[in-house]
Amino acid sequence: MSKPNANKMEQRVLTCLLRGDVDGAEALIEKMIEEDENNPIALALMADVCQMRGEFLEALGLMAMAIDLSPDEKVYLQSFVSCAKRLSFSFSQFNELMFRTTQTCVMRNDIDAAPLWQLWLALLDAHPELSQLRVQTETFSDKKIAALAAHPFFVGGLNNLIVVDAAFEGLLTSLRAALRCSLTDEKNLWNRTDFLRIAAALSRYACMTEYIFDTTQEEECWIDETRQRFAQNPAAARAEEIAVFACYEMLGGLPFATALLPVCDAEDALKPVADLQIRDAQRLADIAKTITAITPIEEGVSAAVQAQYETFPYPRWAYLPFAVAPGKLERQLPQDAKALVAGCGTGYEAAQAGMMMPKADVLAVDLSRLSLSYAIARTQDAGIQNIRYAQADILRLAERPERYDYIRSAGVLHHMADPRAGWQVLRNILKPRGLMRIALYSEYGRQDVVAARQVIAEKGFAATRDGMKDFRRQIDALLPADICQSLRSRGDFYQLSMLCDLLFHVQEHRFTLPQLAETLSALGLEFMGFDLAPDSFMAFHAMHGPSANDKDLQKWDALEQARPETFRAMYQFWCRAGK
């Protein structure tokens, strides 16, 4: 097929997909594949067709084939990640194509590979050699086992993933101990290059989890001694020691951190460590000094929540989606809409809003200056220019003259002393027919969290780094096995600030759907639908019939009582103001 004809055929396929003619698109793609079975565009388009039909495993395989033929096509890589996010994995035998494709993704620094953690872990377990890392976690004293930790697949995973698995966390704790012991061990388990690569990758992983790993008394002594030795003469610090220290403690927290930069910058493996742990930390501190406060902060719960997020900003993120398409309701907004992200935290949702509505004027506010500095830095990195960040208390926003076409507030209202009062403020500053996207905790979806919070309160675990790590160590003795398993299946369990937000928050309310319906009515807001995965809508219609109204909260309540996991992540929904 000539290139012009290929482009013409691709456009015909895309036209079919846009008008929902999946069968027509498939017929055209099959012709493309008949002409050239190694056409990555045709394979990627067929993967899109499979995804539209809910055939995600088939789509994943097709996208892997497309990537194998065109490994530098970023759109393919991100589509592969997006598809993998919808699946669970367990391999009865090793899959070389999936391994190569996943390795390609985790070795890049320009895509968000985080959703691949489960596929990556399953492939690690299925690999004929790398699987030994998972069955021999007690020691890396064997040179053959130690060498496996230098494999690009493993190192790439450490650089770009957070694995939601307690046993894997144990493996990394053992690896960290082995790296530390190797500093003085004559066995030389790794050559210098591999040692620095592994330690640098592990230090990134540890930093992104905010050093949630347990440490022994021996390790604590080493940390103290090394910190003192560095302080006496930072320029004399060995690169290997800096790399291992960064696996235990944030370099940027050292008062002499900048004096370590020449040593780090002399090693290719340590430059990214210095950028993340020293330069970026200083950058955030500098940005925090420039943030404008547009309202006072209320005493009481608002001040307590602010203090929490100044210590544990949430969540940490590094990548944005390739594109953010506006939903059906967002497409109805004016292009130059005035938008508010109320309680933006570290800016991920604000950045998405800015990408989704590039001509909108977006104001993003939060209580925490540290969270806002993180948001500003990441937004600058992404090149998004239509967002203004400011420190503010939602409870005081109605005192300002601005009114908004669109308000987003995810995971915020339920942390107020009176969520309805906070929501009323947002309602008051929403224009007539304005749109809101809200996210609130579900009572049914957080029963594991409720059980844990009760124990935490009864036993007096403090919302400090040591208190939270202590709770994690004792969890099996404190809670039933099913609750422990449920908590460990949550990604928030594996990062310290996210764990604080999950279990140690200073204030938490939860809702049921009848309560949500009553509040929407009282505020004069029309429920416009949930943001949920397709399988939840399938379950809804399986229970209530194919023609059931999916805006009927009473029917959704019946589904949630039958399937409490439906809103485990939160109620995420749109609502609209009247005229």
Side-chain angles (χ1 to χ4, degrees):
M1 182 182 288
S2 65
K3 188 67 174 177
N5 285 340
N7 291 338
K8 185 176 180 180
M9 186 70 82
E10 181 183 351
Q11 290 302 316
R12 289 176 64 190
V13 171
L14 293 174
T15 300
C16 286
L17 291 176
L18 284 172
R19 66 170 183 253
D21 181 9
V22 178
D23 292 339
E26 183 176 17
L28 291 171
I29 297 168
E30 286 176 348
K31 290 181 180 179
M32 294 174 70
I33 294 175
E34 285 176 8
E35 293 287 339
D36 180 6
E37 63 181 13
N38 291 321
N39 181 345
I41 295 174
L43 292 168
L45 288 170
M46 189 64 83
D48 290 340
V49 167
C50 288
Q51 288 198 65
M52 292 177 74
R53 289 178 170 156
E55 299 166 350
F56 298 110
L57 188 59
E58 292 81 355
L60 191 73
L62 287 164
M63 196 55 70
M65 294 168 65
I67 292 168
D68 211 39
L69 294 165
S70 187
D72 294 325
E73 183 57 63
K74 187 176 177 181
V75 174
Y76 296 172
L77 295 169
Q78 292 184 316
S79 182
F80 179 84
V81 173
S82 177
C83 190
K85 187 177 181 179
R86 297 174 176 268
L87 295 166
S88 297
F89 298 94
S90 179
F91 293 100
S92 57
Q93 58 184 21
F94 180 63
N95 187 313
E96 177 64 35
L97 176 60
M98 284 293 168
F99 182 86
R100 285 201 309 272
T101 309
T102 302
Q103 179 168 296
T104 298
C105 291
V106 299
M107 288 183 66
R108 292 182 64 127
N109 60 6
D110 60 347
I111 64 170
D112 182 7
L116 289 178
W117 74 265
Q118 193 184 53
L119 173 58
W120 180 87
L121 188 63
L123 288 165
L124 187 72
D125 286 340
H127 193 279
E129 294 179 349
L130 291 176
S131 58
Q132 296 177 67
L133 287 170
R134 292 272 280 163
V135 299
Q136 300 191 37
T137 60
E138 293 83 3
T139 178
F140 282 84
S141 59
D142 185 312
K143 270 197 167 187
K144 291 182 179 179
I145 300 298
L148 296 175
H151 194 287
F153 183 83
F154 188 75
V155 172
L158 295 189
N159 271 316
N160 286 291
L161 307 176
I162 301 296
V163 176
V164 183
D165 184 89
F168 184 78
E169 187 177 295
L171 181 150
L172 297 188
T173 303
S174 297
L175 175 59
R176 184 180 63 177
L179 290 167
R180 181 181 61 84
C181 292
S182 291
L183 292 171
T184 55
D185 198 328
E186 296 179 358
K187 289 184 179 179
N188 295 321
L189 291 174
W190 295 280
N191 62 49
R192 188 173 188 273
T193 300
D194 284 347
F195 182 96
L196 289 176
R197 283 177 54 246
I198 297 167
L202 183 57
S203 76
R204 177 179 177 81
Y205 194 106
C207 181
M208 294 305 290
T209 62
E210 297 148 287
Y211 301 94
I212 202 168
F213 300 168
D214 282 335
T215 51
T216 65
Q217 186 173 357
E218 179 184 351
E219 287 173 316
E220 291 290 345
C221 290
W222 179 85
I223 294 168
D224 290 340
E225 292 169 359
T226 305
R227 189 189 302 111
Q228 292 172 22
R229 190 167 60 255
F230 286 173
Q232 291 171 0
N233 190 358
R238 293 170 53 210
E240 294 90 336
E241 282 190 312
I242 294 174
V244 175
F245 186 88
C247 296
Y248 286 94
E249 189 174 302
M250 182 87 163
L251 294 176
L254 300 171
F256 51 84
T258 55
L260 297 173
L261 287 174
V263 183
C264 294
D265 290 343
E267 302 287 345
D268 288 342
L270 289 191
K271 287 179 182 178
V273 179
D275 288 342
L276 175 65
Q277 296 199 20
I278 301 177
R279 292 189 178 92
D280 196 54
Q282 185 58 57
R283 178 188 178 193
L284 298 186
D286 292 341
I287 290 173
K289 298 173 186 176
T290 69
I291 295 169
T292 301
I294 60 173
T295 78
I297 307 299
E298 293 277 327
E299 294 296 325
V301 171
S302 289
V305 172
Q306 177 194 14
Q308 174 182 317
Y309 289 119
E310 295 293 4
T311 306
F312 299 108
Y314 166 91
R316 294 177 183 270
W317 58 280
Y319 303 100
L320 285 166
F322 182 68
V324 181
K328 179 177 68 176
L329 294 170
E330 279 88 358
R331 287 196 296 270
Q332 298 171 14
L333 294 166
Q335 284 196 340
D336 60 349
K338 286 185 67 67
L340 170 70
V341 182
C344 67
T346 52
Y348 186 77
E349 188 176 20
Q352 284 192 311
M355 291 175 66
M356 180 176 64
M357 302 183 297
K359 296 182 180 180
D361 175 16
V362 182
L363 172 65
V365 301
D366 199 79
L367 295 167
S368 163
R369 299 180 79 85
L370 183 57
S371 296
L372 286 165
S373 65
Y374 194 99
I376 292 168
R378 299 292 82 84
T379 302
Q380 290 173 348
D381 294 342
I384 302 170
Q385 299 180 354
N386 62 329
I387 305 173
R388 293 174 293 123
Y389 288 97
Q391 185 182 35
D393 190 330
I394 290 172
L395 295 172
R396 304 294 292 268
L397 287 177
E399 299 170 10
R400 295 172 52 80
E402 289 87 348
R403 297 297 179 261
Y404 301 92
D405 301 285
Y406 183 48
I407 296 177
R408 295 171 68 111
S409 188
V412 176
L413 297 173
H414 50 227
H415 292 314
M416 293 182 167
D418 183 350
R420 181 179 291 197
W423 202 349
Q424 180 70 66
V425 172
L426 297 182
R427 173 67 180 88
N428 292 343
I429 60 177
L430 185 67
K431 292 181 181 180
R433 303 301 292 167
L435 182 67
M436 278 191 189
R437 189 180 186 281
I438 300 292
L440 297 168
Y441 287 150
S442 158
E443 185 70 50
Y444 291 110
R446 287 175 71 82
Q447 286 306 295
D448 55 343
V449 173
V450 171
R453 285 178 64 88
Q454 183 177 346
V455 167
I456 287 166
E458 290 173 352
K459 301 293 184 181
F461 289 100
T464 61
R465 179 177 301 275
D466 290 342
M468 289 188 283
K469 291 173 69 172
D470 194 25
F471 171 75
R472 284 177 101 243
R473 277 192 295 272
Q474 298 184 45
I475 185 173
D476 290 310
L478 296 169
L479 290 162
D482 60 329
I483 297 294
C484 294
Q485 181 179 358
S486 180
L487 291 171
R488 287 192 175 108
S489 71
R490 291 181 180 267
D492 290 2
F493 194 78
Y494 297 88
Q495 294 174 264
L496 204 63
S497 63
M498 296 172 78
L499 179 69
C500 184
D501 199 83
L502 178 70
L503 301 179
F504 288 81
H505 205 287
V506 298
Q507 180 72 66
E508 174 176 317
H509 295 274
R510 296 168 300 278
F511 296 82
T512 64
L513 288 174
Q515 290 172 334
L516 182 60
E518 190 275 328
T519 303
L520 286 166
S521 176
L523 294 174
L525 293 167
E526 178 187 2
F527 178 72
M528 300 301 295
F530 285 114
D531 185 1
L532 276 171
D535 60 335
S536 294
F537 286 100
M538 291 172 62
F540 176 88
H541 290 296
M543 173 178 279
H544 298 297
S547 61
N549 178 11
D550 62 12
K551 296 182 179 62
D552 187 330
L553 289 174
Q554 187 175 357
K555 286 184 169 61
W556 279 107
D557 183 51
L559 177 69
E560 186 178 22
Q561 291 190 50
R563 297 181 60 198
E565 73 281 2
T566 302
F567 296 101
R568 192 170 192 251
M570 281 191 291
Y571 299 127
Q572 301 182 64
F573 59 93
W574 292 271
C575 52
R576 187 166 59 195
K579 295 181 181 180

